[in-house]
Amino acid sequence: MSAEAADRVAAVGGSRPSTPLQTSWFEFLLDGSLLEKHLEKSNPDPLPVQLIIQFLEQASKPSVNEQNQVQPPADNRRNRTLKLLALKVAAHMKWDLDVLEKGLTIPVLNMLLNELLCVSKVPPGVKHVDLDLSTLPPTTAMAVIIYNRWAIRTIVLSSFPEKQTKPGPHQMNMLSIVQQEKEMTENILTVLKEQAADSISVLEGALRLKKDFYVHTLRTLDLLAADAAANGETESSTAGLRISADELHCQVHYDLGGIFFQHGFTDQPAFEKARDHFRQTKELLRKLDSTVHVHLDEKRLAGYWNACKAMTGDCELNSCRRSTSTTRRESGLDLVCHKLCVCNAVRDALEGEVLSVRFQQLLFKPRKLMVDFILEVCTRSLEKDRPSETSRRHMANFLKTLCESLEDLSLVFVVSSHKLFMELLKEEERKVLVEQMRKRSATINLSGKPLPSFYDIPASASVNIGQLEQQLILSLEPRRIRQILIELHGMAERPFWRVNSKWEVPPDYINVILGIKDNLTKDLVYILMAKGLHCIAIKDFVHARQLFSACLELVTEFSPKLRQVMLNEMLLLEVRAHETMASEGSKERPPPDLVSRVRGYLEMRIHVGFLFPDLPLRQVVGEECVAFMLNWRENDYLTLQVPPSLVMNNPYIKIGQLLASTCKELPGPKESRRTAKELWDVVVQICSMSIQHKRNNDGRVGLIKHRESSMGIMHRSKFITFIKKLREPLVLTTLISLFVRLHSIVRDDIVNEVTAEHLSIWPSTLPNIQAVDVEAVAVTVKELVSYALTLNPNNQSWLITQADIYFVTNQYSAALNFYFQAGAVCSDFFTKAVPPDVYTDQVLKRMIKCCSMMNCHTQVAVLCQFLREVDYMTAFKALQEQNSHDSMDSFYDYIWDVTILEYLTHIHHKRGEIEKRQIAIKAIGQTELNTSNPEEVLQLAAQKRKKRFLQAMAKLYF
């Protein structure tokens, strides 16, 4: 028997060894050395990314207590080990975000990187933008950089359209699972987008660091697990995987280029920033001998680079700017931009790439001159060298697409009769295309004249479903969308609303829309609504109105329920459009019609059940209507005219009414603060947790707090979302005041209290303080003040509150920054005196403590003069310090108190510091400080020095 025959017999008989079983996740818990051996295999099963998913999935499983109640995942040794295993796998992959992003979903990767921040000792509760990377341990700084790189990359990747790979029939029973994953992803993306500016600042800060970087490896993570970090080994410069500054900077420049390129579509100058980052990426790539730790797509980099040059007007565009006359400059630039767009489109076509949105828009109504130019570029592009067969086929497809996209049949004839068209397309292809054009012509002729109705649009044929689907994704013109859908339904019966996974309608409406029997109408309603919602999200309100109007016209014909849905969404569109204008600086009040429609919507919810018992109502519409009324000070309606039944049934109306009433009573006598107390009670309940008593093993009774179990009229997260839709200053000041008081009570630290306006209107005690979620209150007050300052960075009260928050959390540099900002905004950058109600003695004492804690002792001495009664004891004690980190004698010119100057000369004489003593003596000798001078002269000398000192400090800390 031959060897081959023997093998076959063995295989049939089952004597050959079977495929090894996949290693289970729990085996890695049992054997600490197994993971490294597994990862070193050439084809490990499961793959590294699958292991990360399994480890984190197991570590985040909720537990069930003795009462069969679901609890958050336990913080025990097993779960901590699982999380560490996931990190070790990522460390083995050298934290390659390209690979991690392809293998892990956004929620899983978010969990992984948050765990990296945790083990890397990144200070919890501190914004990354407030951290000084240069002072952090290497692995800590690198964790912050990796997280913020992922944040901006995820924002960029989420903006790319994703085509559905399997457009099979939709399974309704899968909706809840898919929806849950989508909601988690959207929530994370919302946070990442809100923090995008901070992430960019962090990465720009990383570019200023010129030292090598170090990232966690399996070894350093093992040391952490063994609690060996106590000796500092994991934080030393030699621990971890070394990544050179050039390698990291190359990667960070590429990532920043991507986010600025995305911003460029709404902020044109951002394209220039993107171009600069991509240029530096290219330069660093050339400089590096090897790019072990640089993971980027060089083809995409080249594409980005070419696009940036086109968008920023390099080369031909710049020369055109110089040569075009002033009177014709705008039209000349438009022509050049269009020609550049054509050239790029022809290049993309030759490479088999998808045509750009800009080129698609150019073909809506082109002139014959432009079509002639397109044909000229096509001809010239094939004249150079010898075109490959692939290039010729790509060009043929481009010309076919061009014919199908042109609505003017005379222009179609120009293309189809061109020499290049005749050469590249086979006779059979030309016949099919001409026949399609003929049919389209007949359809148009039958229509007579164009009708204004949305329904009467001629449909044109197409030979390529993929091309039509691409046009469907790109188009924002309702008639064109319907035309494409008619063509697609003529070629295939399937749900085209699933062509792009980015198209989403609110879950509240899905069942109603998917219940439409006619498939074409179903697709059309879904896509028009999804595109309209996307346009609102990117603040393209013009296209949103067109899409929603078309959808309203469509559903009015067959569904009163969907008609009401669209009217509600169009109201939300107008509210958001007006709020956006206001946030951009517009002072124009909303038209009375819009205010009336908002009232109508709120009151409609009372009797809507009689008209449409099952009408889906999105909570966000009511929420934003209430915010709209508060923002435009429609307090009389909220306090006097809103129906009581509406207040009882709608938590947003309830909060809106209480806020409006409290604001109307400010400032007022104590007896008129009933509504303030009611608002306080509602907010305290929102920030409270349900408490359960449980007897421990030792017989003592303990408390279990359930964070997810909100006792209030809404969850805290929804309350925060609502607050961030408010921008009326008095409303925000009232909320800040409430949360500052609540924060002070739960912290119970009388010495280090945060200050705010109107604190006296709130209660000073809590009946059930144990139920309040202290961490939630601390986070909320920080978020609220930070949000308010984004609306008005010059509100001195909010600035002082923000400074106090940093002060009580021992972030002294940040606190000083905001104390000086508060002084600057109310004194024209210290050209006038800062009002005493801003720089109170308490504020000044806190500024003194900040300087002291930062070892800036000379600054302490200068600030001691600002107090109503000069604090000589603190000043003298500060001047005795010899390790001052400020410029010491350079601040002597800012001291006007002669007693302090005399003490300085004594100190320097005692220490033998002759030069510094001379500087102090010179300061004393200035005639304007002579104690015999009139009081006015002495006050003027003090004011002059105060101003110069504060301006110098502002430059230091801003």
Side-chain angles (χ1 to χ4, degrees), residues 929-947:
L929 297 184
N930 190 316
T931 53
S932 302
N933 288 336
E935 184 63 26
E936 297 81 18
V937 174
L938 293 173
Q939 284 296 323
L940 192 62
Q943 288 301 328
K944 184 174 74 171
R945 283 162 177 75
K946 277 185 180 180
K947 179 184 81 171

Side-chain angles (χ1 to χ4, degrees), residues 46 108 141 153 231 258 308 376 474 646 667-668 727 777 877 886 913:
V108 172
R153 287 163 65 96
N231 62 18
C308 285
E376 180 188 352
L474 296 172
L646 191 55
R727 40 170 195 78
V777 173
K877 186 179 177 183
D886 54 29
E913 296 168 343

Side-chain angles (χ1 to χ4, degrees), residues 783-927:
E783 283 189 44
L784 179 52
V785 177
S786 296
Y787 165 70
L789 285 171
T790 63
L791 300 177
N792 181 5
N794 295 329
N795 185 306
Q796 65 196 44
S797 170
W798 298 346
L799 287 166
I800 291 287
T801 301
Q802 178 72 289
D804 283 347
I805 290 170
Y806 282 122
F807 177 81
V808 301
T809 53
N810 305 327
Q811 298 177 70
Y812 300 112
S813 177
L816 275 177
N817 177 301
F818 282 96
Y819 284 132
F820 284 120
Q821 281 191 54
V825 299
C826 61
S827 63
D828 291 342
F829 200 75
F830 304 117
T831 55
K832 303 171 185 171
V834 179
D837 60 332
V838 177
Y839 276 0
T840 62
D841 268 12
Q842 176 176 304
V843 168
L844 290 167
K845 284 176 181 177
R846 290 186 169 186
M847 293 167 73
I848 287 167
K849 183 176 178 182
C850 289
C851 291
S852 178
M853 296 304 290
M854 295 165 64
N855 289 330
C856 296
H857 301 296
T858 321
Q859 295 171 15
V860 169
V862 177
L863 281 169
C864 284
Q865 304 171 107
F866 283 62
L867 296 164
R868 286 187 177 86
E869 296 290 333
V870 178
D871 186 352
Y872 290 113
M873 185 178 294
T874 302
F876 294 167
K877 186 179 177 183
L879 293 174
Q880 288 170 14
E881 298 285 348
Q882 290 187 293
N883 64 334
S884 192
H885 291 175
D886 54 29
S887 303
M888 295 186 69
D889 49 12
S890 67
F891 284 100
Y892 293 177
D893 275 347
Y894 304 131
I895 300 174
W896 63 87
D897 188 283
V898 175
T899 305
I900 293 176
L901 286 170
E902 286 174 345
Y903 184 78
L904 265 175
T905 59
H906 166 69
I907 285 287
H908 291 315
H909 174 72
K910 188 176 176 182
R911 292 176 185 163
E913 296 168 343
I914 299 169
E915 289 184 16
K916 290 181 179 179
R917 179 173 179 270
Q918 286 302 115
I919 295 170
I921 291 172
K922 184 181 176 184
I924 294 176
Q926 294 176 81
T927 53

Side-chain angles (χ1 to χ4, degrees), residues 6-17:
D7 280 350
R8 283 197 297 272
V9 172
V12 172
S15 59
R16 295 184 69 184

Side-chain angles (χ1 to χ4, degrees), residues 192-209:
L192 295 181
K193 287 173 183 175
E194 286 175 359
Q195 298 173 350
D198 285 356
S199 291
I200 291 169
S201 296
V202 169
L203 295 178
E204 287 174 338
L207 293 174
R208 291 192 287 273
L209 300 180

Side-chain angles (χ1 to χ4, degrees), residues 602 606 637-658 678 713:
L602 293 174
I606 300 172
Y637 172 76
L638 287 170
T639 54
L640 303 174
Q641 299 169 26
V642 64
S645 58
L646 191 55
V647 179
M648 295 294 293
N649 297 323
N650 189 320
Y652 295 103
I653 290 282
K654 175 74 173 175
I655 287 175
Q657 185 187 64
L658 291 173
E678 195 175 345
I713 58 176

